[in-house]
Amino acid sequence: MRRYVYRCTVCRTSSPVVRQLDDLAAEGEAHRLALHGGHIPDAEAVGQVDRLGRLYAALGPLIAMHARIADGLSDLRDPKGMGHPFWASAAATLILGGAAALVFGVISAAL
Ligand SMILES: [Zn+2]
């Protein structure tokens, strides 16, 4: 389940989370018309967000990978909700830690 938001850095507001790119474009257009006379605010941001409302593009690669895994696990139980249950964050951390340990083990065995 993909989630998107429109963020206006001038007003320092974010749109409600939407599920479709068409809805995202409508949110941005409605905000620009209502508050900025149709002008495009500098440094506005749009994009896919995780279940915590963070833009994936603004996250570092390791944190983004953790968020995608935790989002996927959380979507198994609650596909339309927001937020991560503790078990999903913990499982994502274990998966990433296990993958790092596996890579480290393979490299150690090869040397
Ligand atoms: Zn604005």
Side-chain angles (χ1 to χ4, degrees), residues 71-84:
D71 285 358
L73 292 172
S74 299
D75 284 347
L76 294 175
R77 305 253 340 239
D78 182 16
K80 295 190 175 190
M82 294 292 287
H84 290 153

Side-chain angles (χ1 to χ4, degrees), residues 6 8-13 31-32 35-36 41:
Y6 167 81
C8 178
T9 56
V10 173
C11 302
R12 300 183 58 81
T13 58
H31 177 85
R32 286 186 213 111
L35 295 173
H36 302 290

Side-chain angles (χ1 to χ4, degrees), residues 41-55:
D42 289 342
E44 69 176 2
V46 293
Q48 190 177 0
V49 294
D50 68 354
R51 289 175 63 106
L52 300 179
R54 303 175 297 182
L55 285 168

